[in-house]
Amino acid sequence: MSMTDQRKKSQAALLLASSASYREIAEQVGVSTGTLRTWRRQPEFAAAVEEVRQIMRAGGRTGPELHAAVSEVLDRLTPPVRPPGTVSVSIPAGASPARKRRLVARALARAMVDGGQV
């Protein structure tokens, strides 16, 4: 998922926590209502929405404190950025040694083409 998509997801979580409608959120964020429903079914997204909702309802925080608390929750929706030169490979359980080698070789080749180096 691109950074733009991650920002949209964080923005949607914040708007869902504030009880906006799916249609309003979809229009404001720039995604379909189907995408919102898909995200809502993801456990980490649903948990983030609920946690933000609780933070907003709790009150007793200054603007900067509220912003920091909400940002901390929403940051968990964004995967960490890999350092330059790293390659990730998904290898299914039970893959044969030959398939593992092919998957690693393919990921390295893709990284070299995309980034010019590994």
Side-chain angles (χ1 to χ4, degrees):
M1 187 177 283
S2 72
M3 269 319 236
T4 301
D5 291 339
Q6 288 297 336
R7 287 188 190 110
K8 288 180 179 183
K9 200 170 189 179
S10 293
Q11 186 180 8
L14 183 59
L15 291 168
L16 278 168
S18 66
S19 301
S21 74
Y22 276 53
R23 178 177 282 157
E24 292 169 333
I25 296 168
E27 288 175 5
Q28 191 167 347
V29 175
V31 298
S32 70
T33 55
T35 296
L36 290 175
R37 286 184 178 84
T38 298
W39 289 345
R40 191 73 167 119
R41 287 190 298 267
Q42 296 171 348
E44 67 278 356
F45 183 81
V49 169
E50 187 53 38
E51 194 171 346
V52 169
R53 184 175 287 140
Q54 290 174 5
I55 290 169
M56 293 169 72
R57 285 184 182 160
R61 297 180 193 227
T62 64
E65 291 171 339
L66 180 63
H67 181 268
V70 169
S71 293
E72 181 182 329
V73 173
L74 296 179
D75 285 348
R76 285 186 246 145
L77 290 176
T78 306
V81 177
R82 287 183 293 163
T86 60
V87 177
S88 66
V89 182
S90 295
I91 299 177
S96 69
R99 182 161 187 221
K100 290 177 183 179
R101 283 191 299 274
R102 282 193 308 270
L103 290 169
V104 169
R106 188 177 300 141
L108 289 171
R110 191 174 301 123
M112 291 174 72
V113 168
D114 292 345
Q117 60 181 347
V118 176

